[in-house]
Amino acid sequence: MKQVSFIHTADIHLDAPFSSLGDKEKADIRRQELENCLKNIIDRARIQNINLLIISGDFFEESCVRGSTLIGARNLFSELYETEVVIIPGNHDPLKENSYYNTLSWSDNVHILTDSNRVLFLEKFNTCIFNMGAVGRVVDDYSSLKEKSVSENTFNILVFHGTVNMPFEESNYNAIGSKEIFDLGMDYVALGHMHNYIRYQNEKCTVINPGSPEPMGFDEEGVHGFVQGNIVVTDKNTKFVEANFVPLNGRKYHNIELDVTGCKSNEEIIQKLSIDDNIDFFNKDLYSLTLKGFIPKNFTPDIKCLMEFIKNKCFYIRIKIETSIQFDYEEYLEDPGIKGEFVRMLMDMQENEDSPERKEILYMAIQLGLQAMENNRVD
């Protein structure tokens, strides 16, 4: 049985600014954690004698990456004596004349994929590495790839940084469909660009986007990591791919909501936060807390006060207020107009309703209805 082993990662974004944190110290910590993330992947490749380390774009942030960071990465790559490193540029580390891809002297085992017309053949692993979209011309590159012959006698890998199975719009970088990718006849397709794990597969080809190994923002909740696998040829000359997701991220991002309906003080909000079974802070994670519900007109939650209560419970917290004014609908009971009629009708419905859930829905309907009539809008 013959095989080639690989680790596939993408979207590491070395030296990403993390400016959205608004905290230089924490941003510096997160940047260092990206370097640690890369080091952990490289250590695994070295210890397990992995044949290929594939980085499918956005290896670093072109606009703010430090030369020292990439020199450190280059030195780590040079210590992978048994591993070939394959990198394709992405939209955050594009192939420019003065790019570090061109100006830095990389070790001999590092291969920067820049030309889709060139197939990288790694003889010692009997592996052909194809690429497309390195300079953002995926349509032209795809046509060129379709004309190439793909041998059944080699391991065939396509490295691609782009958008798969999404609308073909200008905002979707290097957009293409999975059917078109399958038609190329590859064994494994190493995607990058989307920061979440995605997998497509048919009987001959496995296509994986590993996602960012360390999450970058609040739109990247959940577990992050990389892919490790093998392309195998059995003694009966049958070829198949084994590929597994390996969790890696040290921190997670969480989006949480708290219903503060009826709260009249920050202390009451803190009390609700303390007893909510669905909210549990971990000191290494990052949280975005959104306050929802209806509160009195004369009360505005104090974000600084709430953050003071939470800040030592987690690595980072941001708080958003999306509450609405709570109307005292009993004041409208004697109103002879449409507002009074509306409140009386829904209160009668509430009175005759047995279900607590339905009662809550009717309460919300009263609040939103009054909001619309009083403010000519619903928040």
Side-chain angles (χ1 to χ4, degrees):
M1 187 169 67
K2 299 176 182 178
Q3 67 179 28
V4 60
S5 61
F6 63 87
I7 283 177
H8 169 206
T9 187
D11 299 282
I12 301 173
H13 292 275
L14 288 175
D15 277 348
F18 289 102
S19 53
S20 63
L21 297 181
D23 184 318
K24 184 182 182 305
E25 182 180 349
K26 285 184 167 55
D28 287 343
I29 291 171
R30 294 294 286 137
R31 279 193 290 274
Q32 182 59 53
E33 287 170 349
L34 296 183
E35 294 184 46
N36 295 343
C37 172
L38 175 64
K39 185 178 185 301
N40 289 337
I41 292 172
I42 291 173
D43 284 346
R44 187 180 180 105
R46 185 184 64 256
I47 293 167
Q48 298 190 16
N49 292 319
I50 299 297
N51 300 142
L52 303 174
L53 171 57
I54 302 170
I55 302 176
S56 299
D58 287 356
F59 175 41
F60 57 85
E61 283 287 333
E62 165 71 26
S63 62
C64 52
V65 70
R66 296 164 296 180
S68 59
T69 300
L70 290 182
I71 289 171
R74 179 199 63 185
N75 293 342
L76 290 173
F77 289 150
S78 70
E79 296 171 2
L80 290 173
Y81 304 115
E82 305 298 326
T83 305
E84 299 295 312
V85 180
V86 178
I87 306 174
I88 191 171
N91 56 312
H92 283 255
D93 55 357
L95 193 66
K96 299 178 179 178
E97 185 177 349
N98 63 346
S99 167
Y100 281 109
Y101 286 135
N102 288 325
T103 60
L104 193 62
S105 177
W106 299 90
S107 54
D108 291 341
N109 67 324
V110 176
H111 310 275
I112 312 297
L113 305 180
T114 61
D115 184 356
S116 64
N117 290 314
R118 176 174 175 264
V119 179
L120 172 64
F121 179 58
L122 301 173
E123 185 174 1
K124 64 180 177 179
F125 301 133
N126 191 34
T127 299
C128 288
I129 309 287
F130 302 80
N131 78 91
M132 64 179 180
V135 291
R137 292 197 298 265
V138 69
V139 175
D140 296 338
D141 290 350
Y142 179 77
S143 299
S144 175
L145 269 177
K146 282 283 286 182
E147 296 173 0
K148 295 185 188 302
S149 58
V150 178
S151 173
E152 281 290 325
N153 298 320
T154 58
F155 298 113
N156 302 298
I157 298 174
L158 171 66
V159 184
F160 172 59
H161 187 86
T163 309
V164 178
N165 286 352
M166 293 183 71
F168 286 33
E169 301 171 354
E170 285 190 16
S171 59
N172 289 328
Y173 181 79
N174 273 346
I176 196 169
S178 57
K179 180 184 181 302
E180 284 71 27
I181 291 179
F182 284 138
D183 287 345
L184 293 172
M186 301 292 164
D187 300 314
Y188 184 78
V189 180
L191 298 180
H193 186 54
M194 304 303 289
H195 286 196
N196 55 313
Y197 177 81
I198 305 169
R199 184 173 185 139
Y200 308 99
Q201 196 163 353
N202 66 11
E203 64 278 3
K204 291 185 176 181
C205 177
T206 299
V207 181
I208 296 182
N209 186 106
S212 52
E214 186 69 34
M216 309 295 293
F218 285 103
D219 56 344
E220 300 177 27
E221 292 183 281
V223 178
H224 286 244
F226 59 91
V227 170
Q228 182 171 338
N230 303 280
I231 309 175
V232 180
V233 175
T234 68
D235 296 335
K236 295 182 178 180
N237 212 32
T238 302
K239 198 187 297 186
F240 66 93
V241 175
E242 301 171 322
N244 298 299
F245 178 79
V246 180
L248 179 66
N249 58 299
R251 302 187 192 276
K252 292 181 182 178
Y253 285 80
H254 305 268
N255 292 289
I256 55 178
E257 293 183 355
L258 180 68
D259 185 351
V260 295
T261 295
C263 289
K264 301 181 179 66
S265 67
N266 296 304
E267 289 72 23
E268 290 184 15
I269 292 177
I270 288 172
Q271 177 65 17
K272 270 202 171 185
L273 190 60
S274 301
I275 64 174
D276 193 313
D277 293 334
N278 296 316
I279 298 177
D280 194 5
F281 292 104
F282 296 94
N283 60 5
K284 66 178 182 177
D285 288 351
L286 300 90
Y287 293 83
S288 177
L289 171 64
T290 303
L291 304 183
K292 299 269 192 178
F294 298 92
I295 58 177
K297 186 192 304 186
N298 60 355
F299 171 52
T300 301
D302 185 337
I303 290 181
K304 287 185 178 180
C305 172
L306 298 175
M307 288 185 71
E308 191 65 28
F309 170 73
I310 300 169
K311 69 178 185 180
N312 293 327
K313 300 177 182 292
C314 59
F315 177 75
Y316 174 83
I317 179 70
R318 75 177 186 188
I319 299 175
K320 297 189 291 184
I321 300 176
E322 294 183 5
T323 55
S324 300
I325 294 174
Q326 184 175 40
F327 290 92
D328 184 359
Y329 53 81
E330 293 187 2
E331 293 180 0
Y332 294 86
L333 288 176
E334 304 303 321
D335 189 308
I338 189 170
K339 296 173 191 173
E341 183 61 30
F342 170 76
V343 169
R344 288 189 291 272
M345 180 180 69
L346 267 67
M347 284 189 69
D348 286 343
M349 293 172 66
Q350 257 191 329
E351 198 68 34
N352 297 319
E353 183 57 64
D354 294 327
S355 164
E357 290 80 11
R358 289 284 300 168
K359 283 182 180 288
E360 179 65 22
I361 290 171
L362 288 166
Y363 172 81
M364 294 283 290
I366 294 172
Q367 292 294 329
L368 293 172
L370 287 174
Q371 189 180 106
M373 286 184 277
E374 289 285 359
N375 304 330
N376 294 318
R377 72 176 193 277
V378 175
D379 295 329

